[in-house]
Amino acid sequence: MPPPLRLNAVAFVSPQNHPILIRTFAQPSQDELKYHYIAHTSLDVIEERIAAAATTKSTECYLNLLYTMEDVAVYGYITPLKVKIILALALSDSVVRDVDLITIFRAMHTAYRQSAANPFLKLDAPTEGINDHATVLLAGGAQWKGFRRRVDEIGRAVAAQGATSAPGT
Amino acid sequence: MATTSKQYKAIGEDIWKSRTEKTNTELFALTYGALVVQLIQDYEDYAEVNKQLEKMGYNIGTRLIEDFLARSAIGRCADFRDVGEVVAKVGFKAFLNITPTVTHAAAVPTSPSRTSATSNANASGASFTLTLDDNPLAEFVELPEDALEGGLWFSNVLCGVLRGSLEMIQMQVQATFTSDVLRGDETTEIRVTLVKYLEEEVPVGDD
């Protein structure tokens, strides 16, 4: 029986290190700002890993455990276009399988891909700085409504999966 | 009636399967999306964009009907109701691989003295509504606020295609969207209304 994964938060960061979306799934009492901070810290760790991976010519997307802090374990994933996905899992004693995490990352990546394919995404961008794709990806925009919905669904699916695999009471 | 409907479905299925060069749905959806966005940037008026999409669809439809009739070898439709069935089960299936559901509505009789109801299906004003449960053109689309307010019908090209193709087989119709999931409605529906049957006309310029 796979141990339940408790997904606390997910963060998407653009190639220019601007936040695209930060979503928390844990109890609402949790401080959202804490996950912004976690995402920031992760960026440094990711850059280290990428630098290390570049020397070994690795094209691996999944970055595995980045670091742990207080009660969360942070995992990273980088898409081929350098969009970073950061998952914060509640720290638990049970073993967390790589394959489960990779599945979640792939689902998140797909959600991002589908939302980015929206042809109306660029309409809100300012006309200057056209070369910088990051301007169209800024967080909190109304155009990310569908993206938020998809990410929430993934969060719910993970939580449900965790609940069903827990021993029945 | 039921058997004819099944026959149409089978014909549509065959045409779709026998088509050797199929396009990638994502590429198709992305291309159409880019087209609509470009039109919006060029015209900046959503009503005008709707019109242009319809015009483009009209041009596509006039050519598409030839391809359709060649592939399907379907004979003349008995009445407008039949037209609706063929369009939904064979036409849409052959080109978009979707089968919208059809609901028919006979014409409202204009003169109350008309007692015979036999040819109502052919009377002008007869219509059918196509309900698309999934629209391959709008695969990744989320309409922004001002498009919603401006009244954009994203897939309006389909209305033009219907109008163009039916006009080439001597039927003048009006096709419009009545609801669209992209706008927040429950279903995506196109209503096609028969205006009149066209007489064979000598094309302008022929002597």
Side-chain angles (χ1 to χ4, degrees), chain B:
Chain B
M1 261 314 165
T3 37
T4 334
S5 157
K6 265 193 245 166
Q7 281 170 0
Y8 286 150
K9 281 200 184 143
I11 297 175
E13 203 51 59
D14 280 342
I15 301 181
W16 176 255
K17 292 236 165 63
S18 66
R19 198 175 264 280
T20 44
E21 354 77 33
K22 296 200 184 34
T23 327
N24 182 331
T25 319
E26 283 192 12
L27 181 61
F28 182 51
L30 289 173
T31 308
Y32 184 69
L35 175 78
V36 175
V37 168
Q38 193 58 48
L39 280 177
I40 295 176
Q41 284 179 352
D42 289 345
Y43 286 99
E44 288 179 10
D45 169 32
Y46 292 104
E48 188 62 37
V49 172
N50 283 342
K51 218 164 18 126
Q52 292 300 323
L53 285 174
E54 215 265 350
K55 257 207 264 180
M56 284 167 41
Y58 178 80
N59 288 323
I60 295 175
T62 51
R63 292 161 178 74
L64 203 64
I65 183 73
E66 196 66 61
D67 188 69
F68 173 67
L69 290 173
R71 275 178 209 269
S72 67
I74 285 195
R76 285 192 86 77
C77 287
D79 54 15
F80 198 62
R81 191 193 176 83
D82 225 11
V83 172
E85 293 285 321
V86 173
V87 163
K89 297 197 169 58
V90 193
F92 270 83
K93 179 72 186 173
F95 293 111
L96 292 175
N97 200 22
I98 53 172
T99 328
T101 36
V102 203
T103 31
H104 299 272
V108 176
T110 46
S111 53
S113 61
R114 194 175 182 79
T115 47
S116 75
T118 44
S119 56
N120 249 359
N122 267 352
S124 75
S127 70
F128 58 87
T129 308
L130 298 164
T131 311
L132 286 78
D133 42 356
D134 102 276
N135 184 358
L137 291 172
E139 181 103 34
F140 305 114
V141 178
E142 287 164 39
L143 289 184
E145 283 300 318
D146 36 337
L148 288 168
E149 284 165 28
L152 177 73
W153 293 115
F154 188 77
S155 319
N156 213 30
V157 75
L158 293 177
C159 293
V161 171
L162 288 169
R163 184 167 72 89
S165 49
L166 290 176
E167 185 162 308
M168 293 309 275
I169 40 180
Q170 268 69 51
M171 277 175 268
Q172 191 180 11
V173 300
Q174 218 180 24
T176 45
F177 269 93
T178 50
S179 68
D180 193 354
V181 192
L182 292 176
R183 294 248 219 134
D185 303 320
E186 302 227 332
T187 51
T188 308
E189 294 190 347
I190 306 179
R191 163 164 308 132
V192 184
T193 321
L194 177 65
V195 174
K196 64 174 182 201
Y197 281 96
L198 299 166
E199 301 299 322
E200 288 279 353
E201 277 171 16
V202 177
V204 178
D206 271 13
D207 271 319

Side-chain angles (χ1 to χ4, degrees), chain A residues 9-83:
Chain A
V10 64
F12 291 81
V13 183
S14 79
Q16 288 77 13
N17 289 343
H18 299 142
I20 299 173
L21 181 73
I22 302 189
R23 217 66 186 134
T24 50
F25 303 110
Q27 314 79 323
S29 59
Q30 291 267 7
D31 196 10
E32 270 222 19
L33 207 50
K34 167 172 144 182
Y35 294 105
H36 277 73
Y37 173 66
I38 288 183
H40 269 281
T41 342
S42 321
L43 289 178
D44 285 328
V45 185
I46 291 180
E47 299 222 356
E48 278 175 43
R49 294 283 174 96
I50 298 179
T55 53
T56 58
K57 286 268 195 207
S58 156
T59 48
E60 192 58 56
C61 286
Y62 178 57
L63 296 173
N64 216 327
L65 182 65
L66 299 177
Y67 64 96
T68 57
M69 154 184 148
E70 296 178 1
D71 52 341
V72 288
V74 183
Y75 293 81
Y77 179 98
I78 180 155
T79 70
L81 276 175
K82 306 270 180 276
V83 172

